[in-house]
Amino acid sequence: MATLLRKIGLIRLHNRDTEDPKHHHNHRGGGGGQQSASLRGKGGGKSSGHKQQHPPGGSGDASPGPGKGKGKRAPELAPRDKPPQPAAGAAGAAGAGGPREPATGARAGPGPAGAAAAGGSLMPAARQQHCTQVRSRRLMKELQDIARLSDRFISVELVDESLFDWNVKLHQVDKDSVLWQDMKETNTEFILLNLTFPDNFPFSPPFMRVLSPRLENGYVLDGGAICMELLTPRGWSSAYTVEAVMRQFAASLVKGQGRICRKAGKSKKSFSRKEAEATFKSLVKTHEKYGWVTPPVSDG
């Protein structure tokens, strides 16, 4: 029985030594056990001299300290605490000192903003188109009125089918005048004039000059220019019609003792537009300086 108990005790010691190597090592080497105990004693003394502060809910080395806890939570809180980043275009505008207009806003689009930006270039074009419409309507009406004249006082032919360039034939003047006698003697059926209408007609006068025959006196000057105040910007009125202007011209020819030139060589020389324009510009400056002479009412 005693022998059996001793065997059981040896078996238990053997199992304990094999299950706990640390105990087996300490059991076999007494010096190593003492050294380990001394090291644990020193570590224990240091640990007891310095208290470690742990946050609530954690203990031991597995629980991180205050510094470690902040370091681990920082990446989780950063996306939440960080303010939302503006878009790339807005960030660039803020860096430049303020919001910028979108890139497409710089172009003049079909919207009101685009129209306002291009207003400087669109307004003159629209105004010119409006003036052309006004001029065209007025001249069409003038042509219709002239075609309905019963006395066939004047007739009109368009130059190169242009509504703004007319050749006007004056068929009649005062039959008691010397000019009418000259027309009969030279078989001149009409006095031909040219009228060109500016863009802002009827608010500006047409430019009128004599083409043929070559006339002397009668307020007809070099190049066929005509000295009449109503043909100047100062004397013109938008109420004047082409028919009224031609009747005034016919009266001026008679008043100024106009004659058909019969001098050899000179009578065949035609008037030029360039010379007429220069002469008209000069006479306008002269009359603006010295004024226009108005004939007495008795002289018509």
Side-chain angles (χ1 to χ4, degrees):
M1 188 68 179
T3 304
L4 180 61
L5 292 175
R6 282 197 300 268
K7 287 182 179 181
I8 294 172
L10 291 175
I11 292 171
R12 289 181 177 176
L13 290 175
H14 176 73
N15 292 338
R16 184 179 61 185
D17 292 341
T18 54
E19 291 177 358
D20 189 2
K22 187 175 181 181
H23 175 76
H24 179 70
H25 176 73
N26 293 336
H27 179 73
R28 290 186 178 182
Q34 293 177 358
Q35 185 177 1
S36 301
S38 62
L39 291 176
R40 283 196 299 270
K42 291 180 181 180
K46 290 182 180 180
S47 299
S48 62
H50 177 72
K51 295 182 179 180
Q52 295 183 357
Q53 297 179 358
H54 301 286
S59 63
D61 294 339
S63 300
K68 294 181 180 180
K70 290 183 180 179
K72 289 186 178 181
R73 292 179 60 85
E76 299 177 359
L77 296 177
R80 300 177 184 176
D81 299 339
K82 193 173 182 180
Q85 295 292 336
R100 294 182 181 176
E101 295 292 337
T104 55
R107 299 181 182 178
S121 61
L122 293 179
M123 286 303 293
R127 183 177 181 181
Q128 183 178 3
Q129 183 179 4
H130 175 71
C131 290
T132 301
Q133 293 175 353
V134 171
R135 179 175 57 159
S136 300
R137 288 195 296 264
R138 173 64 179 269
L139 291 176
M140 288 297 296
K141 184 178 184 302
E142 296 269 4
L143 285 174
Q144 294 172 1
D145 293 343
I146 292 173
R148 287 195 293 262
L149 290 176
S150 58
D151 58 354
R152 200 173 176 270
F153 173 65
I154 57 175
S155 62
V156 176
E157 293 179 357
L158 301 182
V159 179
D160 297 331
E161 301 299 325
S162 173
L163 184 61
F164 314 124
D165 192 356
W166 293 8
N167 280 344
V168 180
K169 296 178 180 179
L170 176 61
H171 297 280
Q172 299 176 16
V173 294
D174 188 355
K175 296 182 179 180
D176 295 332
S177 64
V178 292
L179 180 58
W180 180 256
Q181 297 298 323
D182 288 346
M183 292 176 67
K184 292 297 183 181
E185 293 175 3
T186 58
N187 295 323
T188 302
E189 297 181 0
F190 53 83
I191 298 173
L192 183 63
L193 300 97
N194 177 257
L195 281 77
T196 54
F197 301 91
D199 293 340
N200 55 346
F201 179 84
F203 306 105
S204 291
F207 178 70
M208 188 168 78
R209 64 190 181 98
V210 177
L211 296 180
S212 64
R214 191 175 185 90
L215 302 176
E216 296 177 335
N217 302 325
Y219 303 105
V220 178
L221 307 178
D222 295 341
I226 302 170
C227 182
M228 289 176 58
E229 185 179 8
L230 63 83
L231 292 176
T232 65
R234 179 177 295 182
W236 175 258
S237 172
S238 60
Y240 294 156
T241 63
V242 173
E243 178 191 354
V245 172
M246 293 302 298
R247 292 190 183 276
Q248 181 66 31
F249 171 67
S252 297
L253 284 176
V254 175
K255 173 65 180 176
Q257 301 294 315
R259 301 291 301 270
I260 295 178
C261 181
R262 301 187 185 187
K263 295 179 181 178
K266 190 174 181 180
S267 60
K268 296 182 179 180
K269 185 179 179 180
S270 60
F271 291 130
S272 68
R273 180 183 180 88
K274 185 177 181 180
E275 186 179 6
E277 290 176 346
T279 302
F280 185 76
K281 187 180 297 184
S282 177
L283 72 89
V284 168
K285 288 182 179 180
T286 301
H287 284 291
E288 286 180 350
K289 184 177 181 180
Y290 298 103
W292 293 81
V293 178
T294 303
V297 179
S298 59
D299 293 341

